[in-house]
Amino acid sequence: MNGSALLLDRDTQDDRTDFRDAVLAGLSARPRAIPAKFLYDARGSALFDAICDLPEYYPTRTETGILRACAGEVATLSGPGCALVEFGSGSSVKSRLLLEAMDRLVAYVPIDISRQHLDQTAARLRRDYPGLNVEPVCADYMALERLPDEVSAARRRIGFFPGSTIGNLTPGEATAFLKRVRRLLGTRGALVLGVDLRKDPRRLHDAYNDAAGVTAEFTLNLLRRMNRELDANFDLSGFAHEAFYNPVEGRIEIYVRSLRTQAVTVAGRTFTLAEGERIHTEYSYKYDEAGIRALAASADFRIGRFWSDAERLFAVVYLEAPDDRP
Ligand SMILES: C[S@@+](CC[C@H](N)C(=O)[O-])C[C@H]1O[C@@H](n2cnc3c(N)ncnc32)[C@H](O)[C@@H]1O
């Protein structure tokens, strides 16, 4: 397909309805919370790219280094004639390492919820890899039921889920997601998964509280998005980004904090936020090796390979279905 992203029965209006319903439900709930996937409109996706370049944000450069070292092995394990299916593809930068290493790819399927960014990324990939069949899918990967027909010609489907995006999911959601991925990838499927590892809490704290304030801008962009798409009236000077490591849960928690008592209107509904009250926007769970093994097993995957960096900051794992190995 050469046009914009495959819609899979959805369009921009559906995106907006989902956003409004989730925001109204999330602001009415206690504690207040809006799902992290809504952080990614076009500006949110661009801000995420800027986060990846920050000196404090070690995950992107560490994972890229691991992938650069293991891409050849991923290609050998997977064999020729595969389809590469990426969940939460963003700008598909790391994917290029696999696209260039894998032999005779039948298709590359980037799946992302950020529609405009996905279209731009697919256009760039088609320009840079004229021989590659790029089949973008704009969808929520937590609810995706099928892949484009083009992948059926592949010998195997290899999933790719980098960026430690798995950390945005609670453990229960992560298991449900991996089970869905196993189903979508089918017989002989495998998944290349990037996972951020537990480490010195100071290092974690700094990664989500950068000196330049880009992560804060990324979080507060959710309010801008509500102002623009849901006719809301958030005054951004009245809110702050808050991120900290919760050692008991093993996760970074991110919130928008109200700096004063204030009323806001969103899609015709008014909400009063007390001074100091928070809206939860994101988790980033950190795993150790045993946790990764347990997570893989919970979805009936086994770890075929485990790669890490010298400092053990980040891991890339090759997950296989036990009875589906080539
Ligand atoms: C942490 S970024 C990672 C981007 C890229 N894979 C990387 O490693 O740099 C997460 C990506 O997943 C997408 N995303 C988040 N939640 C999603 C969902 N539920 N369904 C589909 N895409 C989602 C976002 O739009 C964003 O591009």
Side-chain angles (χ1 to χ4, degrees), residues 37 40 45 48 52 63 86-91 94 111-114 139-142 162-163 165 168:
K37 64 184 176 184
Y40 295 93
S45 294
F48 179 75
C52 290
E63 184 180 31
E86 180 166 2
F87 300 88
S89 45
S91 291
K94 295 163 195 160
I111 302 167
D112 206 287
I113 202 158
S114 189
D140 181 341
Y141 50 56
M142 297 302 286
T165 310
N168 294 147

Side-chain angles (χ1 to χ4, degrees), residues 127-199:
R127 186 197 62 206
D128 294 349
Y129 301 93
L132 180 66
N133 183 14
V134 180
E135 296 290 337
V137 174
C138 183
D140 181 341
Y141 50 56
M142 297 302 286
L144 188 64
E145 294 291 346
R146 63 190 169 90
L147 294 173
D149 294 341
E150 285 74 5
V151 303
S152 50
R155 198 180 57 82
R156 293 179 76 187
R157 300 171 186 183
I158 308 300
F160 186 37
F161 195 39
S164 206
T165 310
I166 191 107
N168 294 147
L169 306 178
T170 62
E173 290 169 339
T175 295
F177 168 78
L178 290 180
K179 285 182 173 168
R180 178 177 296 274
V181 165
R182 254 206 80 172
R183 240 184 358 261
L184 288 168
L185 298 179
T187 310
R188 291 156 57 82
L191 176 69
V192 180
L193 174 69
V195 190
D196 197 13
L197 296 176
R198 292 192 181 184
K199 58 184 62 64

Side-chain angles (χ1 to χ4, degrees), residues 11-45:
D11 61 20
T12 312
Q13 190 51 47
D14 295 324
D15 293 350
R16 192 149 304 187
T17 305
D18 284 355
F19 184 41
R20 186 201 60 209
D21 293 351
V23 165
L24 293 179
L27 291 179
S28 306
R30 296 292 184 282
R32 301 185 205 262
I34 297 174
K37 64 184 176 184
F38 294 111
L39 291 162
Y40 295 93
D41 61 354
R43 185 164 183 271
S45 294

Side-chain angles (χ1 to χ4, degrees), residues 24-135:
L24 293 179
L27 291 179
S28 306
R30 296 292 184 282
R32 301 185 205 262
I34 297 174
K37 64 184 176 184
F38 294 111
L39 291 162
Y40 295 93
D41 61 354
R43 185 164 183 271
S45 294
L47 283 165
F48 179 75
D49 282 350
I51 288 171
C52 290
D53 290 335
L54 291 168
E56 296 94 334
Y57 198 74
Y58 63 85
T60 304
R61 58 177 178 277
T62 310
E63 184 180 31
T64 301
I66 299 169
L67 283 167
R68 193 165 281 129
C70 74
E73 213 179 328
V74 167
T76 305
L77 287 166
S78 305
C82 297
L84 183 67
V85 181
E86 180 166 2
F87 300 88
S89 45
S91 291
S92 295
V93 175
K94 295 163 195 160
S95 344
R96 289 174 181 241
L97 295 167
L98 297 186
L99 294 178
E100 288 165 20
M102 292 177 76
D103 186 16
R104 283 164 281 164
L105 270 186
V106 167
Y108 170 58
V109 182
I111 302 167
D112 206 287
I113 202 158
S114 189
R115 189 177 297 271
Q116 196 184 330
H117 194 78
L118 176 64
D119 280 342
Q120 287 166 355
T121 299
R124 254 198 319 275
L125 287 167
R126 289 185 179 119
R127 186 197 62 206
D128 294 349
Y129 301 93
L132 180 66
N133 183 14
V134 180
E135 296 290 337

